[in-house]
Amino acid sequence: MKRRYDLDWLRVILFGILVPYHALLGFVSYGHEVYGYRNQDVGGAAAEFTIFFFHGWRLPALFLISGVGTWFVLRNRGAVAFAQNRTVRLLIPLVVGVVFWNSLITYYQFQAAEQPKALATVFWERLPTLGPWKAGHLWFLVNLFVYSLVSLPLMFWLLRAPRYWFGWALLVVLLAAPIVLKPGGSDLIGVRWTFVTYWAFYLCGFWAMTLPHSFWQRLDRQRWLWLVLGVATIAILGRYLDSFAGDTQRMNLVIQGGWLEKGWAFADRLTIGYGVFYALNAMFWCAAIFGFAYRYLNRNATWLPWLNRAVYPFYIFHFVVLMVILYYLRQVGWPWFAEFLILTFGTFAGSAAIVWLFDKSGPLGILVGLSANRRA
């Protein structure tokens, strides 16, 4: 099979977007609710809308490209070999990351809360409480591991022959999840209703790779249509936000879910409309991104193999590096955008340096998700 460089580039770019996205979260008014601390100077409405815009499709796109990657891993393996591969590549880095790297994040969160503890103390206090629910930013690996193993029978079935109708079934799931599951619980990180949503996008990526090449050519031909529809749906979602007129609690309920606990009706025109446009927005942007990538990014480059190899451990370390830099940067009185740029480029540089060191360390690379195969 001819190498799909556009998929390699998309994997690199989509994971690379995590750095400016997570950096910007440190400069919005609610950043401390997510990280435990934020910068003193914030970016205002423009920064918060940027977060809102990217959040609408970045995680769906990441799970979609992960489903694509699973097709490459599974197509020449049996079930046992695939399960072994997923355990080594996902579970080992997850456990190591939750135990060690996340302890450093917790240490700085204690420091910011003016409850200083020694790093060793933080490490030992965390150990008895660890579990999948304490994965932090590594929750992505938890979901990916579960999706990979639970979906095995379905993925083997999809490998047998192209099944075009399966895409329509996934569309129904994506539209139904925010309407049926969202009222029952708040969720933005793949635990409740978004667990189903991201699973559907993961399967969508795998399913797309089982289709003839004409499917990707159609995405290419219609790329401007998907882009226009993506812009239209994000504009509609923006209008929904404007309608809340400063009612932050009501806005958060509609975005995150869980409004049954507040006594709202299971569904009404507002919640159904927002849920449908949320799902459509994610689908349109993913289709546009993959269509434009197919047209313009299907070409090799000198650094692409290493970038593609480094993406996974880079994801593991980027948040740790970012949180450390943000802790010290928040105490500096520079303009917020200058600090945002320092945080972004500092995170890129620091994470790349750590990945390079592990890449040169030989067998230790397995602890952070580096494959023994230099081309993987």
Side-chain angles (χ1 to χ4, degrees), residues 266-289:
F266 179 84
D268 57 26
R269 186 169 61 180
L270 170 66
T271 57
I272 291 177
Y274 188 90
V276 168
F277 282 111
Y278 171 88
L280 292 175
N281 176 67
M283 287 185 279
F284 291 150
W285 279 103
C286 285
I289 290 165

Side-chain angles (χ1 to χ4, degrees), residues 166-186:
F166 189 72
W168 292 105
L170 291 174
L171 174 62
V172 171
V173 172
L174 289 171
L175 291 174
I179 297 173
V180 177
L181 302 177
K182 196 174 181 180
S186 174

Side-chain angles (χ1 to χ4, degrees), residues 184-204:
S186 174
D187 180 24
L188 282 177
I189 54 171
V191 178
R192 296 182 179 90
W193 64 273
T194 57
F195 180 89
V196 176
T197 296
Y198 299 151
W199 192 355
F201 275 105
Y202 172 79
L203 288 173
C204 189

Side-chain angles (χ1 to χ4, degrees), residues 274-338:
Y274 188 90
V276 168
F277 282 111
Y278 171 88
L280 292 175
N281 176 67
M283 287 185 279
F284 291 150
W285 279 103
C286 285
I289 290 165
F290 277 74
F292 276 94
Y294 181 87
R295 168 58 64 97
Y296 297 110
L297 296 181
N298 202 2
R299 60 199 68 192
N300 198 3
T302 304
W303 280 89
L304 182 57
W306 188 85
L307 290 173
N308 194 37
R309 173 176 167 77
V311 155
Y312 182 19
F314 182 90
Y315 154 74
I316 291 174
F317 285 112
H318 87 279
F319 195 71
V320 184
V321 175
L322 186 146
M323 289 292 285
V324 173
I325 298 176
L326 177 62
Y327 174 80
Y328 293 104
L329 203 58
R330 59 192 275 274
Q331 304 173 40
V332 178
W334 298 336
W336 79 267
F337 193 72

